[in-house]
């Protein structure tokens, strides 16, 4: 009967009735989890859907904390951890009295749950939600940020995207010193258009962490994502209002400017890296003159510094193929090579310009 | 319900008084009795006069003496003697009834020697119910009334008798009797006017009842009176300065205007008559129900009757006994009752008083007095049960507010009750007393209530949730948050509590979610007759 009532609320698609009944829905939470642990999914499914239907206004009551702590207990069954993981985006992390103790438990629990696209989405959503809460941010284990390298997505209507882009969050991830995690994080918060709260810190991060000739492929991924978002923003107010009815033209212009600024910073860093390459490895600028501007931005500069190149690649380079394609293929194979390939540089130079 | 005849001392007094009255009355009866028969001395004197006249017919002048034919006693003597006999028989009858009453009371007061305490208590309650149903109290109260009536008749008879003999003596008796009668009427009126007046008599109650019901009929008639409503509306439209004049003019205009006025007044008269008839019918119906029970009510099952009698026993014992052991066993019996139909609201207050009596407050910390732990526990349980039940059945009951007041006066909101040995129950009670504080379930830690405590708390809070849901209208109907927190707390236990507790907790949630649920004294069901399902 309760499940039927929850489903009726979901069908009504009106957050207000759910909001005023949130105490009762919260009280149903442990029973739904118990049912889930016993293999009956209807209760928890209805519970999660009704909460999703009420987002972003709804979250559970803070007094669920002791029960959540029980679910996240390290010695608890995996089914309990899975249930806790699924419900974690709806928990009032900000209002927990002992949230700093719960966050590591949550991290351990979600890492124990098998990764799927759905759970990845939920975990990423929760991670940003926790990160947006300043007192809890320092307690997020570094392993959770490295977990972002799995490249999870976010729900389309995720409201934590903007809060998760705050300056403090960016600083925390930069402090890890892991460029891969930083890129994954930026790709996550830029997954859809939204306001950016940590713009200056992101710009600084791009300049300082994603500069240099080694970071070309990161920049390529990020530029591609920024192009996608700018393309979305170019589709006009009416289109964007389908997902955010309160949006106005001023907001769009502001977001365009912010994303445009990030792209400009990325391009600037890429240009500096190209200059470094030309200067230090004597690759004529004319090489890049053959490329279109878009190709130029996307060139992974590590192509020039890989060692040793496979025979097939050398053979490939001698063929009259379109240069960008060759370069990209090369990058795909040697993108992770840390060695400085002076010999390959010479070979490349010979093949491209003298051979 | 209190016993109307907890002592037979008044009956003994009435027997004595009846004997005294009958003795006095019989003296006057004997004194007047010869007046009802022909007087032989008078007849002898008449015969002697006839004899003398035969001897010397000049002795009596022109008068010719005759032997009078006795045509019956004088009318005044008959009236006096009738009153005296009435008084005499009334005193004898009251003495007879008093003796019977003594016998009835002896039977009522006899103690059963067989059966358990509960059975004997139920037997006593059955006899008490019979006493109430058969108006035993009224019958016994009729005894002094009969004696008073006998005294009045004696006074009247004496007055009339002496009036014929000597006016002065008769005046003295008349004055005293009139004073006594006037005093009695004053006493009746005073008793009817004020419930706190110590001169209460059966007549006072009757007069009070009449005084309180008749004006209601008139008020009803006045409220629905067409003429008065026209006058009233006209008066409302008038300016304050001229309202009285306009009112008078309007009344005169209406009275003189047309036959329509007569029609309106006729309708009003009919309405007034109907209201009076309605009053009489209502009164008769009440009397009928009192005498023969509600005619439309289906016969209640024996279980329900037993429950009702049980509750009456509990109520009586709690009120009459001061023994803690008796309280303990009585409340233990009450705590096992799931259905509380026909609960006497006073039981709630009794439970509260007993509980308060078991707990003392030292440095703002509540603790149970030594040796009273079982009584404190069971009285708290009963307080929760009965309070929740009453709040469902009669949310407007004054007892609820009274109990809240008593509890607050005894403990206050700052008293720490966490050390009491029944945390669930006391938190539920405090949730009722202080509904704005919904932190009750936070500091329970790992406390696991006993299955009984948990069941009773869940059962009571389900009823309370329903009651509050029905009454709260802030942003729609809602169950108080603290009750929902109880449901959450119970459902998050590992292992899960009993099925009945889970069902009650889910019922609480379902009530707040506006599911179609009905809560009765028997439990929680959906409107289509199914219970809340627990998988």
């Amino acid at each position: 009967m309760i499940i039927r009532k929850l489903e009726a609320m979901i069908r009504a698609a009106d957050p207000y009735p759910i909001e005023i009944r949130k105490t009762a829905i919260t009280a149903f939470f442990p029973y739904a989890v118990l049912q889930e642990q016993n293999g009956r999914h209807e209760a928890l499914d209805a519970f999660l859907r009704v909460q999703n239907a009420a987002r972003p206004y709804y979250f559970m009551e803070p007094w669920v904390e002791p029960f959540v702590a029980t679910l996240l207990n390290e010695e608890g069954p995996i089914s309990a951890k899975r249930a806790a993981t699924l419900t974690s985006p709806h928990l009032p992390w900000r209002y927990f009295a002992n949230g700093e103790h719960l966050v590591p438990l949550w991290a351990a629990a979600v890492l124990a749950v098998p990764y799927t696209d759905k759970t990845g989405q939920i975990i990423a959503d929760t991670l940003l939600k926790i990160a947006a809460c300043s007192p809890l941010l320092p307690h997020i284990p570094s392993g959770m940020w490295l977990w972002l390298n799995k490249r999870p997505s976010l729900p389309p209507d995720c409201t934590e995207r903007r809060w998760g882009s705050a300056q403090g969050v960016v600083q925390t991830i930069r402090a890890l010193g892991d460029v891969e995690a930083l890129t994954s994080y930026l790709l996550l918060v830029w997954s859809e258009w939204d306001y950016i709260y940590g713009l200056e810190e992101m710009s600084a991060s791009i300049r300082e962490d994603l500069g240099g000739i080694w970071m070309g492929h990161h920049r390529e991924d990020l530029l591609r994502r920024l192009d996608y978002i700018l393309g979305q923003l170019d589709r006009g107010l009416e289109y964007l209002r389908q997902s955010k009815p309160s949006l106005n033209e001023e907001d769009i212009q502001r977001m365009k400017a912010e994303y445009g600024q990030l792209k400009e910073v990325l391009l600037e860093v890429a240009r500096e890296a190209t200059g470094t390459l030309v200067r230090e490895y004597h690759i004529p600028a004319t090489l890049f003159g053959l490329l279109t501007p878009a190709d130029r931005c996307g060139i992974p500069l590590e192509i020039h510094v890989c060692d040793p190149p496979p025979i097939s690649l050398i053979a490939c380079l001698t063929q009259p193929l379109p240069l960008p394609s060759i370069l990209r293929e090369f990058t795909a194979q040697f993108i992770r090579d840390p060695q400085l390939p002076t010999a390959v540089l010479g070979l490349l130079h010979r093949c491209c310009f003298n051979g | 319900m209190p016993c109307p005849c907890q002592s037979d001392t008044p009956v003994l007094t009435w027997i004595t008084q009846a004997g005294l009255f009958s003795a006095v009355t019989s003296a006057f009866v004997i004194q007047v009795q010869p007046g009802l028969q022909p007087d032989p001395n008078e007849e002898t004197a008449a015969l002697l006069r006839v004899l003398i006249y035969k001897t010397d017919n000049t002795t009596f002048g022109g008068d010719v003496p005759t032997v009078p034919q006795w045509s019956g006693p004088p009318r005044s003597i008959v009236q006096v003697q009738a009153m005296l006999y009435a008084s005499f028989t009334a005193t004898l009858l009251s003495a007879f009834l008093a003796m019977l009453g003594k016998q009835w009371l002896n039977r009522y007061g006899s103690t059963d020697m067989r059966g358990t305490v509960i059975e004997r208590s139920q037997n006593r309650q059955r006899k008490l119910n019979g006493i109430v149903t058969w108006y035993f109290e009224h019958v016994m109260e009729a005894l002094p009334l009969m004696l008073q009536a006998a005294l009045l008749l004696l006074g009247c008879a004496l007055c009339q008798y002496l009036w014929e003999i000597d006016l002065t003596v008769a005046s003295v008796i008349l004055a005293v009797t009139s004073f006594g009668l006037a005093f009695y009427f004053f006493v009746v009126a005073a008793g009817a006017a004020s419930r706190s007046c110590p001169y209460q008599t059966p007549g006072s109650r009757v007069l009070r009842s009449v005084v309180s019901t008749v004006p209601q009929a008139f008020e009803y008639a006045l409220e629905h009176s067409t003429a008065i409503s026209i006058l009233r509306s006209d008066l409302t439209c008038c300016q304050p300065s001229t309202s009285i004049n306009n009112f008078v003019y309007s009344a005169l205009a209406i009275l003189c205007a047309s036959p329509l006025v007569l029609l309106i007044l006729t309708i009003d008269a009919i309405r007034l008559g109907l209201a009076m008839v309605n009053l009489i019918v209502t009164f008769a119906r009440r009397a009928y129900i009192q005498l023969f029970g509600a005619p439309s009510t289906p016969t209640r099952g024996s279980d329900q009757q037993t429950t009702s009698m049980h509750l009456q026993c509990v109520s009586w014992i709690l009120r009459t006994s001061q023994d803690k052991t008796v309280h303990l066993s009585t409340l233990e019996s009450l705590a096992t009752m799931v259905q509380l139909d026909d609960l006497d609201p006073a039981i709630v207050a009794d439970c509260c008083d007993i509980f308060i009596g078991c707990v003392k407050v030292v440095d703002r910390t509540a603790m149970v007095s030594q040796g009273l732990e079982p009584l404190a526990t069971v009285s708290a349980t009963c307080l929760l049960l009965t309070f929740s039940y009453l709040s469902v059945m009669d949310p407007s009951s004054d007892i609820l507010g009274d109990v809240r007041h008593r509890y607050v006066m005894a403990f206050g909101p700052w008293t720490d009750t966490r050390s009491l040995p029944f945390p669930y129950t006391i938190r539920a009670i405090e949730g009722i007393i202080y509904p704005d504080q919904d932190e009750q379930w936070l500091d329970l830690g790992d406390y696991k209530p006993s299955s009984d405590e948990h069941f009773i708390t869940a059962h009571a809070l389900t009823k309370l949730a329903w009651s509050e849901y029905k009454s709260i209208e802030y942003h729609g109907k809602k169950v108080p948050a603290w009750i929902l927190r109880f449901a959450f707390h119970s459902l998050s236990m590992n292992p899960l509590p009993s099925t009945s507790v889970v069902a009650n907790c889910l019922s609480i949630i379902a009530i707040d979610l506006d599911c179609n649920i009905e809560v009765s004294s028997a439990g929680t069901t959906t409107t289509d007759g199914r219970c809340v399902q627990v998988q």
Side-chain angles (χ1 to χ4, degrees):
Chain A
M1 186 167 54
I2 293 174
I3 294 173
R4 283 204 301 274
K5 189 68 186 181
L6 294 180
E7 284 170 351
M9 285 178 162
I10 296 162
R11 282 195 298 275
D14 182 5
Y16 182 69
I18 303 174
E19 166 66 17
I20 62 171
R21 302 290 172 200
K22 73 174 185 177
T23 311
I25 297 171
T26 303
F28 186 61
F29 174 44
Y31 188 74
V33 169
L34 184 77
Q35 295 293 300
E36 176 76 12
Q37 287 182 270
N38 291 338
R40 301 189 190 94
H41 308 294
E42 302 85 10
L44 193 63
D45 283 349
F47 178 78
L48 292 173
R49 281 189 292 126
V50 79
Q51 303 213 55
N52 282 323
R55 289 184 73 170
Y57 308 104
Y58 176 79
F59 51 81
M60 277 189 269
E61 298 279 6
W63 32 262
V64 299
E65 186 177 350
F67 178 66
V68 172
T70 310
L71 289 179
L72 295 175
N73 188 357
E74 290 175 12
E75 296 171 0
I78 192 72
S79 58
K81 291 176 181 173
R82 183 174 178 279
T85 302
L86 293 175
T87 51
S88 55
H90 309 292
L91 295 175
W93 293 95
R94 184 179 299 275
Y95 302 102
F96 281 161
N98 296 307
E100 65 273 14
H101 300 304
L102 274 188
V103 170
L105 286 176
W106 169 79
V110 297
L111 291 176
V113 173
Y115 182 85
T116 62
D117 287 344
K118 184 186 171 189
T119 54
Q121 212 173 51
I122 289 170
I123 293 167
D125 187 10
T126 312
L127 180 61
L128 291 187
K129 188 171 189 173
I130 296 171
C133 182
S134 307
L136 299 182
L137 180 60
H139 301 281
I140 298 175
S142 57
M144 276 314 298
W145 295 118
L146 298 176
W147 173 89
L148 288 178
N149 291 336
K150 292 179 186 286
R151 297 286 167 94
S153 61
L154 280 175
D157 59 344
C158 176
T159 55
E160 304 307 327
R161 190 180 283 112
R162 71 183 71 164
W163 303 107
S165 68
Q167 183 182 6
V169 184
V170 182
Q171 284 174 344
T172 302
I173 298 170
R174 287 184 68 191
L176 295 175
D178 189 311
V179 178
E180 189 71 24
L182 177 64
T183 306
S184 300
Y185 163 74
L186 291 175
L187 288 173
L188 188 71
V189 294
W190 295 348
S191 54
E192 293 292 340
W193 59 271
D194 206 336
Y195 303 105
I196 299 173
Y197 291 164
L199 181 65
E200 295 307 318
E201 189 66 25
M202 282 182 182
S203 300
S205 172
I206 292 169
R207 284 197 186 91
E208 295 168 17
D209 303 325
L210 296 175
I213 59 175
W214 301 99
M215 302 297 165
H217 66 287
H218 294 299
R219 287 195 293 268
E220 186 183 16
D221 288 345
L222 294 173
L223 278 168
R224 197 176 298 126
R225 184 60 55 89
L226 286 174
D227 282 339
Y228 166 75
I229 290 176
L230 287 167
Q232 292 285 312
L233 290 173
D234 283 337
R235 296 181 75 167
L237 184 62
E238 292 305 317
Y239 172 77
L240 298 176
R241 272 186 173 167
Q242 290 174 7
S243 52
K244 277 195 179 66
S246 61
L247 202 66
N248 57 37
E249 192 60 43
E250 191 180 340
D251 293 331
I252 296 175
Q253 293 307 322
R254 180 184 145 200
M255 281 189 281
K256 274 185 179 176
E258 288 172 348
Y259 284 108
Q261 180 184 334
L262 289 170
K263 181 177 177 181
E264 188 56 40
V265 173
L266 269 174
L267 290 174
E268 184 186 333
V269 171
R271 279 194 294 273
E272 284 176 7
T274 304
T276 304
L277 192 64
V278 171
R279 236 180 1 259
E280 296 187 5
Y281 301 109
H282 312 292
I283 295 177
T286 50
L287 168 64
F288 300 99
L290 297 174
L291 306 176
T292 64
D295 289 334
R296 215 182 302 160
C297 293
I299 287 177
L301 295 177
E302 291 80 355
I303 190 172
H304 307 291
V305 290
C306 291
D307 182 36
I311 300 302
S312 60
L313 177 67
I314 296 169
C316 181
L317 285 172
T318 57
Q319 299 299 315
L321 295 174
L323 199 55
S325 303
I326 295 171
L327 296 178
R328 288 205 178 91
E329 189 176 347
F330 193 91
T331 304
Q333 294 186 43
F334 292 93
I335 198 163
R336 315 237 178 249
D337 195 331
Q339 298 295 319
L340 188 65
T342 48
V344 176
L345 274 175
L347 177 64
L348 180 64
H349 190 261
R350 232 180 8 263
C351 288
C352 290
F353 304 105
N354 303 327
Chain B
M1 185 169 290
C3 173
C5 306
Q6 292 182 358
S7 168
D8 58 357
T9 308
V11 180
L12 294 173
T13 308
W14 294 337
I15 292 174
T16 309
Q17 294 298 322
L20 187 63
F21 275 26
S22 60
V24 171
T25 310
S26 62
F28 286 104
V29 166
I30 292 166
Q31 176 69 28
V32 181
Q33 179 67 23
L36 293 176
Q37 297 165 345
D39 190 352
N41 295 330
E42 193 176 337
E43 190 177 359
T44 305
L47 288 171
L48 281 175
R49 271 197 296 272
V50 170
L51 195 61
I52 292 168
Y53 181 77
K54 292 290 183 185
T55 307
D56 181 6
N57 58 3
T58 61
T59 305
F60 302 104
D63 293 337
V64 179
T66 57
V67 178
Q69 294 296 314
W70 194 71
S71 59
R75 185 174 183 79
S76 62
I77 293 296
V78 171
Q79 289 173 350
V80 167
Q81 196 67 331
M83 282 191 282
L84 285 174
Y85 271 113
S87 174
F88 183 63
T89 52
T91 52
L92 285 181
L93 182 60
S94 64
F96 171 68
L97 285 178
M99 283 192 303
L100 279 179
K102 179 74 175 66
Q103 191 180 353
W104 296 331
L105 286 174
N106 284 341
R107 180 182 165 276
Y108 170 76
S110 64
T111 308
D112 296 323
M113 302 303 290
R114 293 181 180 177
T116 62
V117 174
I118 291 175
E119 287 170 349
R120 281 185 278 168
S121 182
Q122 285 181 346
N123 191 27
R124 188 213 66 83
Q125 187 63 43
R126 194 176 297 111
K127 288 192 285 187
L128 175 61
N129 290 349
I131 280 175
V132 174
T133 306
W134 290 92
Y135 296 98
F136 183 82
E137 186 183 16
H138 295 172
V139 170
M140 297 307 285
E141 277 191 349
L143 298 181
L145 275 181
M146 289 168 73
L147 289 178
Q148 290 160 14
L151 184 61
L152 179 64
L153 288 170
L154 178 64
C156 293
L158 278 178
C159 287
Q160 190 169 358
Y161 181 66
L162 291 173
W163 193 270
E164 300 292 331
I165 297 171
D166 186 84
L167 203 59
T168 308
V169 179
S171 300
V172 172
I173 299 297
L174 185 62
V176 174
T177 305
S178 301
F179 174 75
L181 197 61
F183 178 74
Y184 186 78
F185 283 137
F186 167 75
V187 162
V188 169
S194 170
R195 288 178 187 274
S196 58
C197 175
Y199 312 126
Q200 294 293 335
T201 59
S204 304
R205 286 209 297 270
V206 173
L207 186 61
R208 191 185 304 134
S209 174
V210 170
V211 166
S212 65
T213 51
V214 170
Q216 288 175 3
F218 278 102
E219 279 179 16
Y220 174 83
L222 290 175
E223 278 180 10
H224 293 80
S225 165
T226 310
I228 289 176
S229 62
I230 291 171
L231 285 173
R232 194 175 291 162
S233 64
D234 199 61
L235 183 64
T236 311
C237 297
C238 296
Q239 294 298 320
S241 58
T242 59
S243 59
I244 295 174
N245 289 335
N246 282 337
F247 178 79
V248 173
Y249 294 150
S250 301
L252 289 173
I254 287 171
L255 286 172
C256 304
S258 66
L260 184 63
V261 176
L262 291 175
L263 180 63
I264 291 172
L265 291 176
T266 309
I267 293 171
D268 282 351
I270 293 171
R271 278 188 174 146
L272 181 60
L274 287 175
M276 296 303 292
V277 169
N278 185 37
L279 176 70
I280 293 166
V281 168
T282 306
F283 185 78
R285 188 167 174 273
R286 276 186 197 164
Y288 179 82
I289 291 171
Q290 286 291 323
L291 284 171
F292 305 110
S296 58
T297 307
T299 307
R300 299 198 303 175
S302 59
D303 288 348
Q304 209 167 357
Q305 285 180 354
T306 308
T307 303
S308 175
M309 189 174 295
H310 199 138
L311 285 169
Q312 290 170 346
C313 293
V314 168
S315 175
W316 179 77
I317 293 172
L318 292 182
R319 194 157 307 158
T320 53
S321 175
Q322 297 296 320
D323 188 347
K324 304 284 185 195
T325 312
V326 173
H327 284 175
L328 179 62
S329 58
T330 307
L331 291 178
E332 280 174 346
S333 169
L334 177 62
T336 58
M337 297 177 68
V338 177
Q339 295 186 30
L340 295 174
D341 291 337
D342 298 332
L343 174 77
D344 180 3
I347 291 182
V348 187
D350 291 335
C351 292
C352 183
D353 289 341
I354 294 171
F355 172 70
I356 290 170
C358 295
V359 178
K360 59 184 178 183
V361 179
V362 180
D363 295 334
R364 289 190 176 178
T365 303
M367 53 185 68
V368 179
S369 302
Q370 195 171 9
L372 295 180
E373 287 84 0
L375 183 58
T377 305
V378 75
S379 61
T381 303
C382 290
L383 173 60
L384 177 61
L385 270 179
T386 53
F387 194 102
S388 60
Y389 177 85
L390 187 60
S391 60
V392 172
M393 293 302 158
D394 186 10
S396 60
S397 172
D398 294 338
I399 294 284
L400 298 176
D402 182 45
V403 167
R404 279 198 177 97
H405 179 71
R406 290 185 201 198
Y407 190 94
V408 172
M409 290 302 288
F411 301 118
W414 298 281
T415 302
D416 184 5
T417 54
R418 284 175 295 182
S419 59
L420 293 176
F422 33 86
Y424 255 56
T425 312
I426 197 67
R427 273 155 184 75
I429 291 172
E430 294 200 335
I432 295 169
I433 305 294
Y434 312 113
D436 295 334
Q437 298 179 5
D438 64 343
E439 306 293 321
Q440 292 99 331
W441 312 105
L442 278 184
D443 55 353
L444 283 170
D446 295 330
Y447 174 74
K448 300 281 184 193
S450 67
S451 58
D452 284 346
E453 184 185 6
H454 207 166
F455 169 73
I456 288 172
T457 308
H459 185 72
L461 292 188
T462 306
K463 287 187 191 308
L464 202 65
W466 177 246
S467 166
E468 295 287 316
Y469 176 79
K470 286 284 186 188
S471 62
I472 293 177
E473 274 292 353
Y474 178 72
H475 287 304
K477 295 178 174 179
K478 282 186 73 64
V479 171
W482 69 271
I483 299 180
L484 288 165
R485 286 185 66 168
F486 164 79
F488 175 86
H489 188 80
S490 300
L491 291 174
S492 59
M493 281 185 171
N494 188 17
L496 214 56
S498 65
T499 308
S500 58
V501 172
V502 173
N504 276 314
C505 292
L506 291 177
S507 299
I508 290 170
I509 296 170
I511 289 168
D512 191 64
L513 290 177
D514 205 16
C515 297
N516 293 326
I517 276 191
E518 290 291 340
V519 174
S520 65
S521 58
T524 310
T525 56
T526 57
T527 47
D528 54 358
R530 288 172 297 157
C531 291
V532 174
Q533 292 177 349
V534 182
Q535 294 177 331

